[in-house]
Amino acid sequence: MYTFIHYYRGTRRNKMVKTNLTVISDFIFLGFSHYPNAEVIIFVLCLLMYLTTVLGNIILISVSVLDSRLHTPMYFFLSNLSFLDIWYTSSALTPMLANFVAGKNTISFSGCAAQMYFSLAMGSTECVLLSLMAYDRYVAICNPLRYPIIMNKRVCVQIAAGSWVTGCFTALVETVSVLQLSLCGNSIINHFTCEILAVLKLVCGDTSKVEFIMLVISVLLLPMPMLLVCISYGFIVSSIVRISSVDGRSKAFSTCAAHLTVVVLFYGTALSMYLKPSAVDSQEIDKFMALVYGGLTPMLNPIIYSLRNKEVKVAVNKLLARNSLCALFISISN
């Protein structure tokens, strides 16, 4: 249970005097209640997105670990990305799906705080990781002979760890900054999740400091990583153009196309949410945008990488064939 204390200013001495005490233990989600006829359809779509995301990313992690040919920096980062996507989608969609099945639309304060933190942490970590994956592609294509030396195991672990630490730290700063503010006794969140912008609208005090913190973090995690991605791919394109063989150009382009597609999907939706003009404020649009970057993008990631990558296709087929043989052997033994 969390206590919000409201204040007013004295007319002469300008002192802060306690006037009212509001105790809020639960928040209420409006979700998609404005579209009662579409709620079941949205639930089914979100359930399918969640199951596909979890299954697809688990398969991608499994083949990256089990197939020795995929023990490379690229697939190490892909495994991290898949693990991120599983947690990201779970933190955003699982409570909504559970509430729909249970027939309720509430969440405790501690649950809301945890959901806000984990969603921000996973999303922020993905912002950093995607930009550093672009650097990995730059080294692989522009400096192929030095690639094993530059992107050695120690460097890869440091890059992944740095992404996680950055994402978790910035999420902690944003979450604490918002949750220490006073609410106006309103516990209704016009969203399907404890999205930080939706919760911030419940605050009745001055939010300029928190908004400035969020703006700084958003700039650090969105435009700056995108700039690194653009610079990396600028060098990559110039190197691909100089490749004489058609097969070499095709392989280099195929290697980068999947990552670039994921980058455009993720950064595009995130930018439209967190760096849009203040005049453009539609909570309903925000809900559907949150479904895109919280459910659709993580679902598409393993599909995009597997469809564009022959190595992943071969590894998946080997894994499925191995499991089929094991199942056949067990059935024969029984």
Side-chain angles (χ1 to χ4, degrees), residues 192-297:
F192 63 87
T193 182
C194 283
E195 208 274 330
I196 188 169
L197 295 178
V199 175
L200 193 62
K201 292 180 180 180
L202 305 182
V203 176
C204 57
D206 182 21
T207 61
S208 58
K209 181 180 178 181
V210 175
E211 289 174 354
F212 177 74
I213 292 173
M214 290 176 60
L215 176 62
V216 171
I217 292 176
S218 296
V219 170
L220 291 174
L221 294 179
L222 289 171
M224 290 188 67
M226 281 193 68
L227 179 61
L228 177 60
V229 171
C230 292
I231 293 173
S232 298
Y233 274 99
F235 285 110
I236 288 171
V237 170
S238 64
S239 296
I240 291 177
V241 170
R242 292 195 298 266
I243 297 176
S244 57
S245 86
V246 177
D247 291 338
R249 283 200 301 267
S250 177
K251 184 177 180 181
F253 176 77
S254 178
T255 302
C256 299
H259 177 255
L260 196 56
T261 304
V262 171
V263 165
V264 171
L265 282 172
F266 185 81
Y267 283 120
T269 51
L271 280 170
S272 64
M273 275 289 296
Y274 293 104
L275 289 178
K276 64 184 178 183
S278 57
V280 182
D281 187 14
S282 174
Q283 196 63 40
E284 298 307 312
I285 294 177
D286 287 351
K287 293 177 189 178
F288 287 100
M289 292 302 294
L291 280 180
V292 172
Y293 73 75
L296 184 61
T297 304

Side-chain angles (χ1 to χ4, degrees), residues 144-171:
L145 298 179
R146 298 182 59 199
Y147 179 64
I149 300 173
I150 297 175
M151 299 300 295
N152 57 63
K153 185 176 181 180
R154 180 181 177 184
V155 171
C156 292
V157 171
Q158 289 175 343
I159 288 175
S163 301
W164 281 94
V165 170
T166 302
C168 292
F169 176 74
T170 54

Side-chain angles (χ1 to χ4, degrees), residues 101-119:
V101 173
K104 64 176 186 177
N105 58 347
T106 60
I107 189 172
S108 65
F109 175 83
S110 58
C112 184
Q115 187 182 46
M116 184 188 300
Y117 172 74
F118 280 110
S119 295

Side-chain angles (χ1 to χ4, degrees), residues 68-113:
S68 59
R69 293 175 301 176
L70 302 184
H71 291 175
T72 62
M74 176 181 172
Y75 294 102
F76 172 75
F77 294 132
L78 275 180
S79 298
N80 274 267
L81 183 63
S82 294
F83 185 76
L84 270 173
D85 284 338
I86 292 173
W87 276 95
Y88 191 25
T89 305
S90 298
S91 63
L93 296 185
T94 303
M96 182 190 73
L97 296 173
N99 284 345
F100 187 89
V101 173
K104 64 176 186 177
N105 58 347
T106 60
I107 189 172
S108 65
F109 175 83
S110 58
C112 184

